[in-house]
Amino acid sequence: MSALRRFLRTPEAVAGAILLAVLIAMALSASLLFPGDPQAIAGPALLPPFQDWSLPLGTDRLGRDVLAELFHGARTSLAVGLAAAAAALVVGAVVGTLAGFAGGLVDEVLMRITDAFQTVPSFLLALAFVSVVGPSLGVVAIALGTWTGPARVARAEVLSIRERDYVAGARVIGMHPLAIAFREVLPNALPPVLAMSSVIVAAAILTEAALSFLGLGDPNRVTWGGMISEGRAVLRTAPFLSIVPGIALVLTVLGVYLAGEGIVETTAVRRGLS
Amino acid sequence: MSLLAVSNLTKRYRRGGKTIAAVDDVSFHVDPGETLALAGPSGSGKSTIARLVLRLIEPDDGRIEFESDDFLALRRAALRARRARLQMVFQDPLAAFNPRATVARVLDDPLRIHGIASRAERPRRIAALLERVGLTADLAPRAIHEISGGQRQRVAIARAIATKPSLIVLDEAVSALDVSVRGEILELLLDLQRQEKIAYLFISHDLGVIRSIAHRVILLDAGRVAENGDARTVIDAPQSAIGKALVAAAPRLNRAGP
Ligand SMILES: Nc1ncnc2c1ncn2[C@@H]1O[C@H](COP(=O)(O)OP(=O)(O)OP(=O)(O)O)[C@@H](O)[C@H]1O
Ligand SMILES: [Mg+2]
């Protein structure tokens, strides 16, 4: 049975994949369906949902189209979440590989740095970074708190791989240690690191939303966190302004997580069988 | 002048609270084009000697002279460059290669690293190497895990000879192969030695194989040299206790031989 078939047989995975597909479709179609500035005023302020079919989800306090904001927000969530997760995975894999492969003092220093980053809660780290550097480097801020997990997993994997004969073989033919680390060892250490990506992407999306909620997101982009934060001021009279982006956020994180776990599960089974 | 001269080589490991000498004051030499066999019971230090000679691990004491240079004094780039002359073939040919590698990549690496052939020239060199070890060039694009164990060990030998070494260390290189394949690989090794004058440091627990291909043998016991001399003389009439025990334990040792 192919991995795809097995994936399709797992209902959670399929649900996750559908949620993710919808999110990606929203992100990609945002500027087609809602061209122009999503932050421009589109109608009367605080129009409730399902009243005016040209503004299906109504408008916010300033009269901006909530549906357009939702679509453009999907784009921000996805872009920032994926970029931050990718940065965290790359940095983590590289640091973990260097530490595990070099051993000795290099390992000691890199792992103490990793410890230091890990002891500070990742959200606090992101918050501190953004407050100092500004919201334009949100991706870096989010990655800052999440690369330590991949680094530890990569290091553990590299420690076992570096004892294999083929690494000795690479040394015997005179390969440079950095080439051995990154060409021979790292690719074989990646599977368990990549298996963490769904959790990391989900966490990155949440962190981005939380930063935006606190007003530390990119001010030039619509974000779901920002929408929730704006809606808070009129929570009693117009709760939908917070609820709609809130639901979008929950579904997105759920979708990423379920689809990711589904992929890991089905490929892990395949590895176990072969 | 010997090709490899090892003197007073010692390697200790700490196990529990005690220190044990895996290799204890071992001296030997290998001449150009010669096969020196290392034999001994499991744990007697054979693989440790192989790893020391290849600088995969560092000794606690002793000297290694290779091609008249102090091999232990070589560092970094100088050591990597000299590795072209001193190669190794491992016991398990599957474990000896990156699981993602193809045959072509495995053979391309040494040619590239030591600047032996230009990029354009390398595919031809790879084909020639494959043919030299009795394989066909159409094996090149195959993944390492897609070829048979015997073919894999031939690829390992092709990789070892790619850089024109003067010495190849073979650690149980034929032990994992079944009998018919083993004979073919030994034939290939003998042929290479005749043609290219390569010396072998041949590690094996099979005294029959040692008797048929080695010139001299060293018997190890608990990290120390127990006996050494002409391979046939030692195996036919061992003097040391460990030699007698090894010969007694060897199945169908063909002592009549040529
Ligand atoms: N990295 C290590 N750490 C601790 N002890 C080790 C290490 N490597 C080898 N030893 C010990 O050194 C001794 C010699 O081991 P070695 O692998 O050289 O034996 P061998 O002769 O190759 O045995 P075999 O025939 O089983 O391959 C053994 O007692 C082994 O347990
Ligand atoms: Mg051994």
Side-chain angles (χ1 to χ4, degrees):
Chain A
M1 194 165 59
S2 73
L4 183 65
R5 285 250 287 294
R6 218 174 305 113
F7 183 86
L8 292 177
R9 278 206 184 174
T10 322
E12 308 94 88
V14 173
I18 291 171
L19 286 173
L20 207 55
V22 169
L23 177 76
I24 292 169
M26 282 172 73
L28 292 179
S29 65
S31 41
L32 283 175
L33 294 178
F34 304 97
D37 185 1
Q39 310 206 35
I41 289 165
L46 290 173
L47 180 70
F50 316 124
Q51 302 281 312
D52 176 350
W53 289 111
S54 67
L55 298 164
L57 288 182
T59 58
D60 68 4
R61 264 188 325 150
L62 299 176
R64 298 178 293 205
D65 181 353
V66 172
L67 190 64
E69 288 190 286
L70 202 64
F71 270 63
H72 282 269
R75 206 183 202 179
T76 312
S77 277
L78 206 62
V80 175
L82 286 181
L89 287 169
V90 168
V91 171
V94 168
V95 170
T97 301
L98 282 177
F101 191 74
L105 190 64
V106 175
D107 185 22
E108 198 64 30
V109 169
L110 288 177
M111 288 330 281
R112 290 301 79 79
I113 294 173
T114 310
D115 283 345
F117 272 90
Q118 207 161 25
T119 40
V120 184
S122 61
F123 185 64
L124 231 81
L125 214 54
L127 210 59
F129 186 83
V130 169
S131 337
V132 174
V133 180
S136 52
L137 286 176
V139 170
V140 179
I142 297 166
L144 221 52
T146 34
W147 63 271
T148 53
R152 285 187 181 285
V153 171
R155 176 176 175 272
E157 195 69 10
V158 166
L159 280 179
S160 96
I161 291 176
R162 74 168 190 183
E163 300 302 325
R164 308 236 176 111
D165 275 356
Y166 83 83
V167 175
R171 288 176 66 194
V172 167
I173 61 165
M175 196 179 284
H176 192 280
L178 286 176
I180 300 178
F182 291 110
R183 268 187 73 221
E184 305 288 314
V185 176
L186 177 61
N188 291 305
L190 274 185
V193 177
L194 292 180
M196 306 174 76
S197 46
S198 63
V199 176
I200 289 178
V201 172
I205 289 175
L206 275 180
T207 307
E208 187 279 328
L211 284 176
S212 303
F213 179 79
L214 294 180
L216 292 167
D218 188 340
N220 300 318
R221 293 196 196 185
V222 187
T223 65
W224 291 344
M227 289 169 73
I228 298 173
S229 165
E230 293 242 325
R232 212 167 42 128
V234 287
L235 194 59
R236 249 170 245 174
T237 49
F240 65 93
L241 286 179
S242 302
I243 292 172
V244 166
I247 290 176
L249 192 60
V250 169
L251 291 180
T252 298
V253 169
L254 204 64
V256 168
Y257 181 76
L258 290 178
E261 289 300 288
I263 291 171
V264 171
E265 205 91 321
T266 43
T267 50
V269 170
R270 195 186 56 204
R271 269 207 303 279
L273 285 181
S274 67
Chain B
M1 193 72 209
S2 41
L3 177 66
L4 176 78
V6 170
S7 33
N8 312 105
L9 200 63
T10 301
K11 177 72 182 175
R12 299 182 199 94
Y13 286 114
R14 223 175 304 284
R15 197 186 296 140
K18 290 184 309 213
T19 313
I20 60 145
V23 175
D24 191 0
D25 197 23
V26 167
S27 303
F28 62 86
H29 66 96
V30 182
D31 289 332
E34 171 191 51
T35 298
L36 173 68
L38 290 182
S42 186
S44 56
K46 306 183 294 293
S47 297
T48 306
I49 290 177
R51 301 183 141 254
L52 287 167
V53 164
L54 287 155
R55 288 281 304 271
L56 290 171
I57 53 176
E58 299 297 313
D60 293 311
D61 211 344
R63 267 181 72 79
I64 300 175
E65 229 172 82
F66 177 61
E67 294 184 328
S68 308
D69 290 324
D70 180 357
F71 193 53
L72 293 174
L74 295 178
R75 297 267 170 263
R76 297 164 198 275
L79 174 62
R80 289 199 298 275
R82 183 57 67 91
R83 285 186 183 286
R85 308 284 299 157
L86 175 50
Q87 283 297 302
M88 171 159 198
V89 176
F90 293 84
Q91 169 167 5
D92 177 357
L94 189 56
F97 297 116
N98 186 336
R100 290 160 185 269
T102 60
V103 172
R105 197 186 122 185
V106 157
L107 298 179
D108 191 72
D109 281 342
L111 297 175
R112 176 175 46 80
I113 290 167
H114 295 285
I116 289 168
S118 68
R119 180 191 287 272
E121 211 186 320
R122 270 182 250 145
R124 255 194 310 112
R125 290 294 276 266
I126 290 169
L129 279 169
L130 286 172
E131 272 153 30
R132 183 68 194 83
V133 296
L135 297 170
T136 49
D138 61 357
L139 223 57
R142 300 266 284 278
I144 274 298
H145 60 81
E146 288 174 348
I147 60 178
S148 76
Q151 289 175 323
R152 229 175 264 140
Q153 202 58 308
R154 286 178 192 270
V155 173
I157 292 169
R159 175 167 74 168
I161 62 171
T163 53
K164 302 209 177 305
S166 56
L167 175 65
I168 300 180
V169 177
L170 302 111
D171 189 355
E172 306 274 12
V174 296
S175 309
L177 306 172
D178 65 48
V179 180
S180 61
V181 180
R182 180 181 307 172
E184 290 168 20
I185 298 286
L186 288 173
E187 246 343 288
L188 170 63
L189 289 173
L190 285 174
D191 184 50
L192 283 170
Q193 187 165 61
R194 272 193 298 270
Q195 306 278 325
E196 333 269 345
K197 303 274 171 291
I198 303 172
Y200 296 134
L201 181 60
F202 188 89
I203 296 173
S204 177
H205 59 264
D206 188 333
L207 294 182
V209 166
I210 289 177
R211 193 177 181 286
S212 70
I213 88 154
H215 300 104
R216 289 185 300 120
V217 66
I218 288 181
L219 300 184
L220 292 164
D221 185 18
R224 304 190 67 100
V225 176
E227 187 168 354
N228 78 78
D230 177 79
R232 283 185 190 166
T233 315
V234 168
I235 292 170
D236 290 346
Q239 302 299 311
S240 61
I242 199 75
K244 286 174 182 153
L246 287 172
V247 168
R252 40 183 189 83
L253 190 61
N254 179 14
R255 234 171 288 189

